[in-house]
Amino acid sequence: MKTLLFSLFCMSFCLAQTPNFVAQTIDNQVSIGYGLAIGDVDGDKKPDIIMADQKQFVWYRNGDWKRFVLIENLTDRDNVCIAARDIDGDGKVEIAVGANWNPGETNDLSKSGSVHYLIRPNNPTDKWEAVELPHEVTIHRMKWVKTKNKYQLVVVPLHGLGNKNGEGVGVKIWAYEPPKDVKAAWKRTLIDSTMHLTHNFEVKEDKNSTYLTIGGKEGLRTFQYKDKWEKAGPEITDMPIGELKYALTNKKGYFATVQPMHGNKLVVVGAEMPPVVLTDNLNQGHALLMADFLQQGTPQILVGWREPNQDKKVGIKMFVPNKSLSNWVAHVIDDNKMACEDMQMADLDGDGKLDVVASGRATKNLVIYWNR
């Protein structure tokens, strides 16, 4: 009897470690799908999907997943990023966007980069109004960040002004503070200007402070906000990093990283652990998530890539660790149907489990992976 119970327990444990995601395509006519965000657009207390596509910023209503255009043809060039968060407590997200994507132009501000705040109409399915804000060249990533009792929009370019081949002037990373009248001047604070080829950043917030970690040519650098932005740990300087996510397990903090920018490697690294390469079979790794999707107590890593790898496939994989992080098991989540440009996660159906949303560049699709 004990043997049977033990066997049943082992079977249950093993099943609990195996991901089961069911794909649902909600758009098969995506132009590029540069960036994704998730938040409640219409105030119905359900998270919607928001996307920066090539010429349109759009959102998909939770439930029927109908597509609505926020704004289109904002600049002469492509859109590139989007930030959405409820920053005023009314239950509906505020949205900022980045466009005029022209990474080869690092000198002319009129031809490269833009930052806009979008003013919500009475009916969120109508077109939104754009307010242009000051910007750097090659605006690439942005997020709303909570700093004590206020919110800031952190904006990270790819290159610095006049930068060539990742050298020259550093990337200026700004924090924007929205005024009561969003059409008035926004206060800007320079967080850092020493890194080059910055690709993405991670934010961690707690009651007392906010941490901002940026990945780029020089590795990882972290900044902390208490009463102002200041440099803090951890710092990793010996490896170029594109994507990054942070987790804390067994009181040890560590990062999942894609190396280098648009790289082929998924690497786990931390201040108290040597780098561990989980795979080197990516091709243009461009999307990364880390969370406890399987509710097993230790976060798992999801990585997506957008060009065919050594197996001539694009897709998404999950890496599941044991509790000591000494062993990782790979599982295929999407097999050659998602040329992954970006991924986000949220509990979209209210069942207590995190679902995944991914946008495909070459595959032209937007897919929900329901966590079953």
Side-chain angles (χ1 to χ4, degrees):
M1 185 57 139
K2 289 183 178 179
T3 303
L4 176 60
L5 289 173
F6 180 76
S7 298
L8 290 172
F9 170 79
C10 288
M11 289 173 63
S12 175
F13 179 79
C14 291
L15 286 172
Q17 311 306 303
T18 303
N20 179 24
F21 287 87
V22 178
Q24 178 188 355
T25 300
I26 63 171
D27 193 342
N28 61 7
Q29 297 182 356
V30 171
S31 295
I32 291 178
Y34 277 112
L36 296 171
I38 297 178
D40 189 350
V41 177
D42 53 4
D44 65 354
K45 300 183 180 180
K46 297 178 182 178
D48 306 299
I49 299 170
I50 312 155
M51 183 173 68
D53 207 1
Q54 188 171 18
K55 289 297 182 182
Q56 296 179 322
F57 291 99
V58 299
W59 68 283
Y60 300 81
R61 184 169 57 197
N62 191 316
D64 59 9
W65 303 113
K66 185 175 180 179
R67 183 180 188 272
F68 300 97
V69 176
L70 295 163
I71 199 165
E72 56 190 337
N73 300 318
L74 185 60
T75 64
D76 291 337
R77 296 168 182 84
D78 288 3
N79 303 322
V80 68
C81 57
I82 190 163
R85 188 169 182 176
D86 178 11
I87 67 172
D88 61 7
D90 68 350
K92 294 173 284 190
V93 293
E94 280 66 48
I95 296 176
V97 298
N100 213 23
W101 178 235
N102 190 9
E105 174 57 68
T106 63
N107 291 293
D108 191 338
L109 284 168
S110 69
K111 297 179 180 178
S112 181
S114 81
V115 177
H116 291 81
Y117 177 82
L118 301 188
I119 297 177
R120 167 187 297 276
N122 291 329
N123 182 346
T125 66
D126 293 338
K127 297 292 181 63
W128 296 39
E129 178 186 354
V131 177
E132 186 173 2
L133 304 178
H135 70 272
E136 300 293 332
V137 293
T138 70
I139 295 300
H140 189 236
R141 294 288 184 264
M142 57 173 56
K143 293 178 184 176
W144 292 108
V145 175
K146 188 175 183 179
T147 53
K148 282 201 168 179
N149 58 352
K150 60 186 176 183
Y151 286 88
Q152 299 182 344
L153 177 70
V154 174
V155 179
V156 180
L158 183 69
H159 294 291
L161 186 65
N163 191 291
K164 298 296 181 183
N165 300 317
E167 297 179 354
V169 176
V171 172
K172 288 187 177 181
I173 300 167
W174 291 97
Y176 296 65
E177 291 186 28
K180 289 184 178 180
D181 177 4
V182 294
K183 292 186 177 181
W186 290 47
K187 179 183 176 181
R188 287 201 303 167
T189 302
L190 184 64
I191 298 175
D192 184 60
S193 61
T194 63
M195 297 185 72
H196 299 79
L197 280 173
T198 53
H199 194 256
N200 217 331
F201 64 102
E202 172 77 323
V203 177
K204 287 296 176 184
E205 301 168 356
D206 59 35
K207 293 181 180 179
N208 300 315
S209 58
T210 297
Y211 295 90
L212 175 71
T213 303
I214 302 160
K217 178 183 176 182
E218 290 88 0
L220 295 181
R221 291 186 185 170
T222 298
F223 301 86
Q224 182 180 16
Y225 188 96
K226 288 186 177 179
D227 297 308
K228 61 179 181 178
W229 288 106
E230 296 179 324
K231 197 172 181 180
E235 181 175 303
I236 297 171
T237 60
D238 59 349
M239 54 188 71
I241 290 171
E243 300 295 318
L244 67 154
K245 293 295 177 183
Y246 177 80
L248 183 67
T249 298
N250 301 329
K251 298 183 179 180
K252 292 182 180 179
Y254 59 98
F255 290 89
T257 64
V258 170
Q259 299 185 18
M261 188 179 84
H262 298 174
N264 66 314
K265 294 180 181 179
L266 174 63
V267 183
V268 176
V269 61
E272 300 180 31
M273 57 188 297
V276 177
V277 178
L278 301 186
T279 182
D280 62 359
N281 191 20
L282 309 176
N283 187 359
Q284 294 209 19
H286 209 261
L288 197 60
L289 298 175
M290 186 157 58
D292 193 1
F293 297 93
L294 306 184
Q295 299 178 334
Q296 66 177 32
T298 304
Q300 303 89 51
I301 300 170
L302 273 172
V303 62
W305 64 101
R306 65 184 186 182
E307 292 290 339
N309 63 5
Q310 297 170 18
D311 303 319
K312 299 182 179 179
K313 292 183 176 182
V314 295
I316 300 171
K317 280 190 175 181
M318 174 180 277
F319 290 82
V320 181
N322 59 4
K323 289 186 178 181
S324 64
L325 306 180
S326 60
N327 185 55
W328 296 76
V329 177
H331 300 269
V332 176
I333 303 301
D334 190 289
D335 188 15
N336 206 34
K337 296 178 181 178
M338 170 56 63
C340 197
E341 183 75 8
D342 196 17
M343 278 194 301
Q344 295 293 334
M345 59 187 177
D347 180 5
L348 295 176
D349 55 5
D351 67 351
K353 293 177 288 189
L354 287 169
D355 306 298
V356 175
V357 181
S359 55
R361 190 182 183 97
T363 47
K364 307 293 184 184
N365 51 350
L366 181 65
V367 178
I368 300 173
Y369 299 88
W370 296 104
N371 186 357
R372 303 305 188 199

